[in-house]
Amino acid sequence: MELRTLSRLAVPAAAALLALTTACTAGTVQGRPGASGLRDPYFPKAGNGGYQIDHYGLDLDYDPADGELNGTAVITARAEQGLSSFNLDLSGLDVEGVTVQGADARYNRTGRELTVRPAKDLKKGEVFRTEIDYRGKPKPITDADGSKEGWITTADGAVGVGEPVGSMAWFPGNHHPSDKAAYDITLTVPKGYEAVSNGELGSRTDTADGRTEFVWHSREPMASYLATAAIGKFEVTTGRTPSGVALYEAVAPGEAAASAPALARLPEIVEWGSRRFGPYPFGTAGAIVLPADSLSYALETQTKPVFSGAPDEKLVLHETAHQWFGDSVSPKSWKDMWLNEGFATYAEWLWSEDHGGTTAQQYFDAFLAGDTSVDKEADSDWDAFPPADPPAAKDISESPVYIRGAMVLQRIRQEVGDEKFFALLRGWAADHRDGNASTADFTAYAERKTGHDLKKVWDVWLYGEGRPK
């Protein structure tokens, strides 16, 4: 994501649930309820415990004329404990039916939690299939920093964007970055509209009732906040990078001319990133450019970043760098955001350095000195808090996570030298590909990979209070 401009069960209930569970299993309780949240430091109710999802199959029908979404979600998951019930995150929308393993399941809604009680308890290790039919007019979610996410209507359609928890506005799921899964997303829209999602377009079919069905497949694991569905009157172009990565760009017609220069650099950016960070982690790359002012930010949705209005080269570079750092290697919790944003910001500095512009060291020095002639953000509050410890949810997209996070990387480079530093970047992306990682994972990996004691860097720059020196 780009740096946002906006500052951004009680005993009686448990007893009742136990009674229900006992009734379902003929008096023998084989499972227990899965947790209704994963206790993330900033979003404690995000995600759910007791299972891990392997695959989402989403079949969505949307009409921009009335804003109505009709959806079926088929979720394949593995029970990590015996389960008498489990939760899914879902904001708004009306649930019309739920089955688990093909049998009707009881369910109830409390706030953003959908609690599902299978007809038969699930055993630990069991792979189970849940199907949810739902409908309604999805709404945006307001973040702690005041920005909007979730399902956003645009001038000619709509877009689903999910960082940090907005994906629950358009499909039920385990909406925490620690639970990554493969996706198949089918979008059916009125003829004349394009419908774009993550991964590769498997088919595009005009139906007998005057609609068009788009089938998208994402084989690599994806955190749900990186899923997207964009509907609009896009101009679509396709191609390949020199090394063969497929490209798919969907651009609002009014933004096409202004977007062209930056998007023309995308093949080069993908090839450059593959040299600096290791092979591009997905089979396809691209971009979705919405009408201007659709959003107040850009987002690194997997394989096809979303831009609100025409992006510049720097922004395309930043969101594409996230495909390695944030998308392929995803955070274990939202406290680890600097592993996304600090790395993508540092990628901006490296791109400039490698193309004859300001070097990473010059950016570092400029922020220390507050030299806005080098970077207009140099006098920002980049030192307001440690990048690995934002004070609150509203702060996870603030300047220290980006800028000071990038400065942590430059301090490592200063300590270990270029050869070991760039081996560290490539190794981190390769060894954690398709997975999740925490700040503690990174600090341990960096010391092991470089053979250097970096405790002072962590103490002063990553976790230290006040302005580093």
mmCIF file of all heavy atoms in Angstrom, residues 97-136:
data_model
loop_
_atom_site.group_PDB
_atom_site.id
_atom_site.type_symbol
_atom_site.label_atom_id
_atom_site.label_comp_id
_atom_site.label_asym_id
_atom_site.label_seq_id
_atom_site.Cartn_x
_atom_site.Cartn_y
_atom_site.Cartn_z
ATOM 1 N N GLY A 97 -28.108 -19.507 3.633
ATOM 2 C CA GLY A 97 -27.977 -20.926 3.924
ATOM 3 C C GLY A 97 -26.524 -21.329 4.060
ATOM 4 O O GLY A 97 -25.645 -20.738 3.424
ATOM 5 N N VAL A 98 -26.271 -22.339 4.897
ATOM 6 C CA VAL A 98 -24.915 -22.843 5.110
ATOM 7 C C VAL A 98 -24.956 -24.362 5.158
ATOM 8 O O VAL A 98 -25.833 -24.959 5.812
ATOM 9 C CB VAL A 98 -24.319 -22.314 6.441
ATOM 10 C CG1 VAL A 98 -22.898 -22.860 6.637
ATOM 11 C CG2 VAL A 98 -24.305 -20.791 6.480
ATOM 12 N N THR A 99 -24.050 -25.001 4.471
ATOM 13 C CA THR A 99 -23.857 -26.447 4.604
ATOM 14 C C THR A 99 -22.405 -26.721 4.964
ATOM 15 O O THR A 99 -21.498 -25.966 4.590
ATOM 16 C CB THR A 99 -24.202 -27.212 3.307
ATOM 17 O OG1 THR A 99 -23.284 -26.837 2.269
ATOM 18 C CG2 THR A 99 -25.628 -26.917 2.855
ATOM 19 N N VAL A 100 -22.189 -27.799 5.713
ATOM 20 C CA VAL A 100 -20.846 -28.277 6.034
ATOM 21 C C VAL A 100 -20.801 -29.759 5.686
ATOM 22 O O VAL A 100 -21.653 -30.530 6.130
ATOM 23 C CB VAL A 100 -20.492 -28.062 7.516
ATOM 24 C CG1 VAL A 100 -19.088 -28.605 7.814
ATOM 25 C CG2 VAL A 100 -20.562 -26.577 7.883
ATOM 26 N N GLN A 101 -19.867 -30.134 4.878
ATOM 27 C CA GLN A 101 -19.738 -31.516 4.385
ATOM 28 C C GLN A 101 -21.038 -31.984 3.728
ATOM 29 O O GLN A 101 -21.438 -33.144 3.837
ATOM 30 C CB GLN A 101 -19.343 -32.466 5.532
ATOM 31 C CG GLN A 101 -18.007 -32.152 6.206
ATOM 32 C CD GLN A 101 -16.823 -32.344 5.291
ATOM 33 O OE1 GLN A 101 -16.733 -31.712 4.245
ATOM 34 N NE2 GLN A 101 -15.864 -33.171 5.707
ATOM 35 N N GLY A 102 -21.723 -31.049 3.056
ATOM 36 C CA GLY A 102 -22.932 -31.379 2.315
ATOM 37 C C GLY A 102 -24.201 -31.430 3.129
ATOM 38 O O GLY A 102 -25.295 -31.597 2.569
ATOM 39 N N ALA A 103 -24.114 -31.252 4.446
ATOM 40 C CA ALA A 103 -25.294 -31.290 5.315
ATOM 41 C C ALA A 103 -25.621 -29.890 5.813
ATOM 42 O O ALA A 103 -24.718 -29.091 6.092
ATOM 43 C CB ALA A 103 -25.056 -32.224 6.497
ATOM 44 N N ASP A 104 -26.910 -29.590 5.938
ATOM 45 C CA ASP A 104 -27.319 -28.283 6.447
ATOM 46 C C ASP A 104 -26.714 -28.042 7.822
ATOM 47 O O ASP A 104 -26.692 -28.943 8.683
ATOM 48 C CB ASP A 104 -28.846 -28.190 6.549
ATOM 49 C CG ASP A 104 -29.512 -28.070 5.182
ATOM 50 O OD1 ASP A 104 -28.807 -27.731 4.209
ATOM 51 O OD2 ASP A 104 -30.727 -28.331 5.088
ATOM 52 N N ALA A 105 -26.202 -26.839 8.017
ATOM 53 C CA ALA A 105 -25.604 -26.461 9.297
ATOM 54 C C ALA A 105 -26.390 -25.308 9.910
ATOM 55 O O ALA A 105 -26.912 -24.452 9.201
ATOM 56 C CB ALA A 105 -24.142 -26.063 9.097
ATOM 57 N N ARG A 106 -26.477 -25.284 11.234
ATOM 58 C CA ARG A 106 -27.066 -24.132 11.907
ATOM 59 C C ARG A 106 -26.042 -23.002 11.936
ATOM 60 O O ARG A 106 -24.833 -23.239 11.960
ATOM 61 C CB ARG A 106 -27.485 -24.510 13.326
ATOM 62 C CG ARG A 106 -28.712 -25.420 13.375
ATOM 63 C CD ARG A 106 -29.086 -25.762 14.800
ATOM 64 N NE ARG A 106 -28.106 -26.635 15.414
ATOM 65 C CZ ARG A 106 -28.115 -26.965 16.702
ATOM 66 N NH1 ARG A 106 -29.035 -26.457 17.500
ATOM 67 N NH2 ARG A 106 -27.208 -27.785 17.183
ATOM 68 N N TYR A 107 -26.546 -21.781 11.957
ATOM 69 C CA TYR A 107 -25.648 -20.644 12.000
ATOM 70 C C TYR A 107 -26.353 -19.470 12.655
ATOM 71 O O TYR A 107 -27.589 -19.421 12.729
ATOM 72 C CB TYR A 107 -25.190 -20.257 10.586
ATOM 73 C CG TYR A 107 -26.313 -19.867 9.651
ATOM 74 C CD1 TYR A 107 -26.724 -18.532 9.536
ATOM 75 C CD2 TYR A 107 -26.969 -20.824 8.879
ATOM 76 C CE1 TYR A 107 -27.755 -18.177 8.689
ATOM 77 C CE2 TYR A 107 -27.997 -20.480 8.030
ATOM 78 C CZ TYR A 107 -28.387 -19.156 7.935
ATOM 79 O OH TYR A 107 -29.418 -18.808 7.103
ATOM 80 N N ASN A 108 -25.570 -18.523 13.147
ATOM 81 C CA ASN A 108 -26.125 -17.277 13.675
ATOM 82 C C ASN A 108 -25.126 -16.156 13.467
ATOM 83 O O ASN A 108 -23.924 -16.389 13.253
ATOM 84 C CB ASN A 108 -26.517 -17.399 15.148
ATOM 85 C CG ASN A 108 -25.321 -17.561 16.063
ATOM 86 O OD1 ASN A 108 -24.798 -18.660 16.230
ATOM 87 N ND2 ASN A 108 -24.876 -16.461 16.665
ATOM 88 N N ARG A 109 -25.617 -14.935 13.484
ATOM 89 C CA ARG A 109 -24.806 -13.742 13.274
ATOM 90 C C ARG A 109 -24.740 -12.920 14.552
ATOM 91 O O ARG A 109 -25.747 -12.672 15.207
ATOM 92 C CB ARG A 109 -25.400 -12.870 12.161
ATOM 93 C CG ARG A 109 -25.575 -13.542 10.820
ATOM 94 C CD ARG A 109 -24.252 -13.745 10.092
ATOM 95 N NE ARG A 109 -23.585 -12.505 9.772
ATOM 96 C CZ ARG A 109 -23.856 -11.746 8.709
ATOM 97 N NH1 ARG A 109 -24.831 -12.117 7.876
ATOM 98 N NH2 ARG A 109 -23.186 -10.643 8.474
ATOM 99 N N THR A 110 -23.531 -12.467 14.902
ATOM 100 C CA THR A 110 -23.325 -11.501 15.974
ATOM 101 C C THR A 110 -22.290 -10.521 15.490
ATOM 102 O O THR A 110 -21.106 -10.869 15.364
ATOM 103 C CB THR A 110 -22.847 -12.174 17.276
ATOM 104 O OG1 THR A 110 -23.796 -13.173 17.664
ATOM 105 C CG2 THR A 110 -22.714 -11.145 18.394
ATOM 106 N N GLY A 111 -22.730 -9.291 15.181
ATOM 107 C CA GLY A 111 -21.788 -8.315 14.652
ATOM 108 C C GLY A 111 -21.196 -8.803 13.345
ATOM 109 O O GLY A 111 -21.918 -9.161 12.408
ATOM 110 N N ARG A 112 -19.881 -8.856 13.298
ATOM 111 C CA ARG A 112 -19.173 -9.307 12.098
ATOM 112 C C ARG A 112 -18.789 -10.776 12.154
ATOM 113 O O ARG A 112 -17.963 -11.234 11.363
ATOM 114 C CB ARG A 112 -17.925 -8.446 11.888
ATOM 115 C CG ARG A 112 -18.233 -6.983 11.574
ATOM 116 C CD ARG A 112 -16.951 -6.166 11.508
ATOM 117 N NE ARG A 112 -17.225 -4.798 11.060
ATOM 118 C CZ ARG A 112 -16.296 -3.849 10.965
ATOM 119 N NH1 ARG A 112 -15.020 -4.128 11.266
ATOM 120 N NH2 ARG A 112 -16.626 -2.631 10.560
ATOM 121 N N GLU A 113 -19.378 -11.521 13.104
ATOM 122 C CA GLU A 113 -19.070 -12.941 13.236
ATOM 123 C C GLU A 113 -20.226 -13.790 12.744
ATOM 124 O O GLU A 113 -21.385 -13.585 13.125
ATOM 125 C CB GLU A 113 -18.792 -13.292 14.705
ATOM 126 C CG GLU A 113 -17.567 -12.607 15.299
ATOM 127 C CD GLU A 113 -16.260 -13.117 14.736
ATOM 128 O OE1 GLU A 113 -16.220 -14.281 14.295
ATOM 129 O OE2 GLU A 113 -15.285 -12.350 14.740
ATOM 130 N N LEU A 114 -19.928 -14.747 11.880
ATOM 131 C CA LEU A 114 -20.863 -15.777 11.447
ATOM 132 C C LEU A 114 -20.435 -17.072 12.127
ATOM 133 O O LEU A 114 -19.355 -17.597 11.833
ATOM 134 C CB LEU A 114 -20.830 -15.926 9.923
ATOM 135 C CG LEU A 114 -21.582 -17.125 9.326
ATOM 136 C CD1 LEU A 114 -23.076 -17.035 9.617
ATOM 137 C CD2 LEU A 114 -21.323 -17.226 7.824
ATOM 138 N N THR A 115 -21.245 -17.561 13.074
ATOM 139 C CA THR A 115 -20.925 -18.797 13.787
ATOM 140 C C THR A 115 -21.658 -19.954 13.129
ATOM 141 O O THR A 115 -22.879 -19.911 12.952
ATOM 142 C CB THR A 115 -21.324 -18.696 15.269
ATOM 143 O OG1 THR A 115 -20.649 -17.594 15.874
ATOM 144 C CG2 THR A 115 -20.960 -19.971 16.027
ATOM 145 N N VAL A 116 -20.914 -20.979 12.758
ATOM 146 C CA VAL A 116 -21.449 -22.145 12.047
ATOM 147 C C VAL A 116 -21.339 -23.369 12.940
ATOM 148 O O VAL A 116 -20.268 -23.649 13.499
ATOM 149 C CB VAL A 116 -20.686 -22.384 10.721
ATOM 150 C CG1 VAL A 116 -21.221 -23.624 10.009
ATOM 151 C CG2 VAL A 116 -20.780 -21.155 9.831
ATOM 152 N N ARG A 117 -22.461 -24.109 13.069
ATOM 153 C CA ARG A 117 -22.497 -25.332 13.869
ATOM 154 C C ARG A 117 -22.821 -26.508 12.954
ATOM 155 O O ARG A 117 -23.971 -26.698 12.560
ATOM 156 C CB ARG A 117 -23.531 -25.221 14.991
ATOM 157 C CG ARG A 117 -23.198 -24.129 16.000
ATOM 158 C CD ARG A 117 -24.276 -24.010 17.069
ATOM 159 N NE ARG A 117 -23.889 -23.004 18.059
ATOM 160 C CZ ARG A 117 -24.140 -21.706 17.946
ATOM 161 N NH1 ARG A 117 -24.773 -21.251 16.865
ATOM 162 N NH2 ARG A 117 -23.758 -20.869 18.881
ATOM 163 N N PRO A 118 -21.833 -27.288 12.581
ATOM 164 C CA PRO A 118 -22.072 -28.420 11.682
ATOM 165 C C PRO A 118 -23.027 -29.435 12.300
ATOM 166 O O PRO A 118 -23.146 -29.534 13.531
ATOM 167 C CB PRO A 118 -20.675 -29.031 11.498
ATOM 168 C CG PRO A 118 -19.714 -27.970 11.937
ATOM 169 C CD PRO A 118 -20.425 -27.172 12.969
ATOM 170 N N ALA A 119 -23.696 -30.188 11.450
ATOM 171 C CA ALA A 119 -24.597 -31.232 11.937
ATOM 172 C C ALA A 119 -23.835 -32.297 12.724
ATOM 173 O O ALA A 119 -24.377 -32.936 13.628
ATOM 174 C CB ALA A 119 -25.334 -31.876 10.757
ATOM 175 N N LYS A 120 -22.561 -32.463 12.398
ATOM 176 C CA LYS A 120 -21.718 -33.442 13.074
ATOM 177 C C LYS A 120 -20.384 -32.793 13.390
ATOM 178 O O LYS A 120 -19.815 -32.081 12.568
ATOM 179 C CB LYS A 120 -21.507 -34.659 12.176
ATOM 180 C CG LYS A 120 -20.682 -35.777 12.784
ATOM 181 C CD LYS A 120 -20.538 -36.932 11.808
ATOM 182 C CE LYS A 120 -19.700 -38.055 12.390
ATOM 183 N NZ LYS A 120 -19.551 -39.178 11.416
ATOM 184 N N ASP A 121 -19.887 -33.019 14.602
ATOM 185 C CA ASP A 121 -18.602 -32.434 14.975
ATOM 186 C C ASP A 121 -17.519 -32.806 13.975
ATOM 187 O O ASP A 121 -17.508 -33.914 13.415
ATOM 188 C CB ASP A 121 -18.162 -32.929 16.362
ATOM 189 C CG ASP A 121 -18.899 -32.237 17.493
ATOM 190 O OD1 ASP A 121 -19.852 -31.496 17.211
ATOM 191 O OD2 ASP A 121 -18.505 -32.445 18.662
ATOM 192 N N LEU A 122 -16.601 -31.877 13.764
ATOM 193 C CA LEU A 122 -15.466 -32.111 12.884
ATOM 194 C C LEU A 122 -14.291 -32.633 13.695
ATOM 195 O O LEU A 122 -14.006 -32.139 14.797
ATOM 196 C CB LEU A 122 -15.081 -30.807 12.177
ATOM 197 C CG LEU A 122 -16.177 -30.189 11.316
ATOM 198 C CD1 LEU A 122 -15.810 -28.758 10.924
ATOM 199 C CD2 LEU A 122 -16.451 -31.036 10.083
ATOM 200 N N LYS A 123 -13.607 -33.619 13.162
ATOM 201 C CA LYS A 123 -12.473 -34.211 13.867
ATOM 202 C C LYS A 123 -11.191 -33.440 13.576
ATOM 203 O O LYS A 123 -11.033 -32.846 12.503
ATOM 204 C CB LYS A 123 -12.292 -35.674 13.447
ATOM 205 C CG LYS A 123 -13.472 -36.560 13.780
ATOM 206 C CD LYS A 123 -13.242 -37.976 13.268
ATOM 207 C CE LYS A 123 -14.441 -38.869 13.558
ATOM 208 N NZ LYS A 123 -14.226 -40.254 13.043
ATOM 209 N N LYS A 124 -10.280 -33.455 14.497
ATOM 210 C CA LYS A 124 -8.968 -32.839 14.283
ATOM 211 C C LYS A 124 -8.310 -33.461 13.061
ATOM 212 O O LYS A 124 -8.260 -34.682 12.918
ATOM 213 C CB LYS A 124 -8.075 -33.024 15.510
ATOM 214 C CG LYS A 124 -6.708 -32.359 15.366
ATOM 215 C CD LYS A 124 -5.872 -32.523 16.623
ATOM 216 C CE LYS A 124 -4.508 -31.837 16.463
ATOM 217 N NZ LYS A 124 -3.678 -31.964 17.690
ATOM 218 N N GLY A 125 -7.838 -32.604 12.165
ATOM 219 C CA GLY A 125 -7.198 -33.062 10.942
ATOM 220 C C GLY A 125 -8.156 -33.267 9.787
ATOM 221 O O GLY A 125 -7.701 -33.478 8.647
ATOM 222 N N GLU A 126 -9.465 -33.188 10.032
ATOM 223 C CA GLU A 126 -10.442 -33.419 8.975
ATOM 224 C C GLU A 126 -10.458 -32.255 7.992
ATOM 225 O O GLU A 126 -10.465 -31.083 8.377
ATOM 226 C CB GLU A 126 -11.838 -33.596 9.584
ATOM 227 C CG GLU A 126 -12.929 -33.885 8.561
ATOM 228 C CD GLU A 126 -14.283 -34.151 9.208
ATOM 229 O OE1 GLU A 126 -14.350 -34.221 10.462
ATOM 230 O OE2 GLU A 126 -15.272 -34.295 8.465
ATOM 231 N N VAL A 127 -10.455 -32.581 6.712
ATOM 232 C CA VAL A 127 -10.625 -31.564 5.677
ATOM 233 C C VAL A 127 -12.122 -31.434 5.427
ATOM 234 O O VAL A 127 -12.791 -32.428 5.122
ATOM 235 C CB VAL A 127 -9.889 -31.956 4.393
ATOM 236 C CG1 VAL A 127 -10.167 -30.939 3.279
ATOM 237 C CG2 VAL A 127 -8.383 -32.052 4.651
ATOM 238 N N PHE A 128 -12.650 -30.227 5.569
ATOM 239 C CA PHE A 128 -14.094 -30.054 5.462
ATOM 240 C C PHE A 128 -14.443 -28.917 4.505
ATOM 241 O O PHE A 128 -13.671 -27.986 4.310
ATOM 242 C CB PHE A 128 -14.730 -29.816 6.838
ATOM 243 C CG PHE A 128 -14.289 -28.569 7.550
ATOM 244 C CD1 PHE A 128 -15.073 -27.409 7.530
ATOM 245 C CD2 PHE A 128 -13.096 -28.544 8.281
ATOM 246 C CE1 PHE A 128 -14.689 -26.267 8.195
ATOM 247 C CE2 PHE A 128 -12.699 -27.401 8.954
ATOM 248 C CZ PHE A 128 -13.494 -26.253 8.910
ATOM 249 N N ARG A 129 -15.635 -29.047 3.932
ATOM 250 C CA ARG A 129 -16.102 -28.118 2.910
ATOM 251 C C ARG A 129 -17.349 -27.402 3.416
ATOM 252 O O ARG A 129 -18.332 -28.034 3.796
ATOM 253 C CB ARG A 129 -16.414 -28.899 1.630
ATOM 254 C CG ARG A 129 -16.862 -28.089 0.420
ATOM 255 C CD ARG A 129 -17.077 -29.058 -0.734
ATOM 256 N NE ARG A 129 -17.378 -28.392 -1.991
ATOM 257 C CZ ARG A 129 -18.601 -28.087 -2.419
ATOM 258 N NH1 ARG A 129 -19.643 -28.379 -1.652
ATOM 259 N NH2 ARG A 129 -18.787 -27.493 -3.581
ATOM 260 N N THR A 130 -17.266 -26.075 3.450
ATOM 261 C CA THR A 130 -18.377 -25.248 3.904
ATOM 262 C C THR A 130 -18.878 -24.411 2.734
ATOM 263 O O THR A 130 -18.073 -23.786 2.034
ATOM 264 C CB THR A 130 -17.943 -24.313 5.045
ATOM 265 O OG1 THR A 130 -17.401 -25.096 6.112
ATOM 266 C CG2 THR A 130 -19.112 -23.482 5.555
ATOM 267 N N GLU A 131 -20.190 -24.407 2.520
ATOM 268 C CA GLU A 131 -20.772 -23.602 1.452
ATOM 269 C C GLU A 131 -21.738 -22.596 2.057
ATOM 270 O O GLU A 131 -22.626 -22.959 2.831
ATOM 271 C CB GLU A 131 -21.488 -24.494 0.445
ATOM 272 C CG GLU A 131 -22.073 -23.739 -0.731
ATOM 273 C CD GLU A 131 -22.561 -24.640 -1.847
ATOM 274 O OE1 GLU A 131 -21.957 -25.723 -2.045
ATOM 275 O OE2 GLU A 131 -23.549 -24.266 -2.521
ATOM 276 N N ILE A 132 -21.543 -21.319 1.735
ATOM 277 C CA ILE A 132 -22.377 -20.238 2.260
ATOM 278 C C ILE A 132 -23.004 -19.497 1.094
ATOM 279 O O ILE A 132 -22.293 -19.001 0.211
ATOM 280 C CB ILE A 132 -21.555 -19.242 3.114
ATOM 281 C CG1 ILE A 132 -20.774 -19.966 4.215
ATOM 282 C CG2 ILE A 132 -22.450 -18.156 3.707
ATOM 283 C CD1 ILE A 132 -19.317 -20.177 3.887
ATOM 284 N N ASP A 133 -24.334 -19.423 1.097
ATOM 285 C CA ASP A 133 -25.054 -18.599 0.123
ATOM 286 C C ASP A 133 -25.418 -17.281 0.806
ATOM 287 O O ASP A 133 -25.952 -17.274 1.928
ATOM 288 C CB ASP A 133 -26.323 -19.306 -0.356
ATOM 289 C CG ASP A 133 -26.030 -20.530 -1.199
ATOM 290 O OD1 ASP A 133 -25.100 -20.474 -2.023
ATOM 291 O OD2 ASP A 133 -26.720 -21.548 -1.026
ATOM 292 N N TYR A 134 -25.147 -16.168 0.139
ATOM 293 C CA TYR A 134 -25.396 -14.867 0.760
ATOM 294 C C TYR A 134 -25.717 -13.832 -0.305
ATOM 295 O O TYR A 134 -25.454 -14.030 -1.496
ATOM 296 C CB TYR A 134 -24.193 -14.440 1.603
ATOM 297 C CG TYR A 134 -22.901 -14.255 0.829
ATOM 298 C CD1 TYR A 134 -22.456 -12.985 0.453
ATOM 299 C CD2 TYR A 134 -22.110 -15.351 0.469
ATOM 300 C CE1 TYR A 134 -21.266 -12.816 -0.250
ATOM 301 C CE2 TYR A 134 -20.922 -15.197 -0.221
ATOM 302 C CZ TYR A 134 -20.509 -13.922 -0.590
ATOM 303 O OH TYR A 134 -19.341 -13.755 -1.299
ATOM 304 N N ARG A 135 -26.276 -12.711 0.143
ATOM 305 C CA ARG A 135 -26.623 -11.657 -0.796
ATOM 306 C C ARG A 135 -26.780 -10.338 -0.043
ATOM 307 O O ARG A 135 -26.819 -10.299 1.183
ATOM 308 C CB ARG A 135 -27.906 -11.987 -1.544
ATOM 309 C CG ARG A 135 -29.154 -12.048 -0.661
ATOM 310 C CD ARG A 135 -30.380 -12.383 -1.481
ATOM 311 N NE ARG A 135 -30.596 -11.367 -2.503
ATOM 312 C CZ ARG A 135 -31.365 -11.538 -3.571
ATOM 313 N NH1 ARG A 135 -31.978 -12.695 -3.765
ATOM 314 N NH2 ARG A 135 -31.536 -10.568 -4.438
ATOM 315 N N GLY A 136 -26.890 -9.269 -0.809
ATOM 316 C CA GLY A 136 -27.113 -7.960 -0.208
ATOM 317 C C GLY A 136 -26.348 -6.884 -0.944
ATOM 318 O O GLY A 136 -25.743 -7.131 -1.998
#
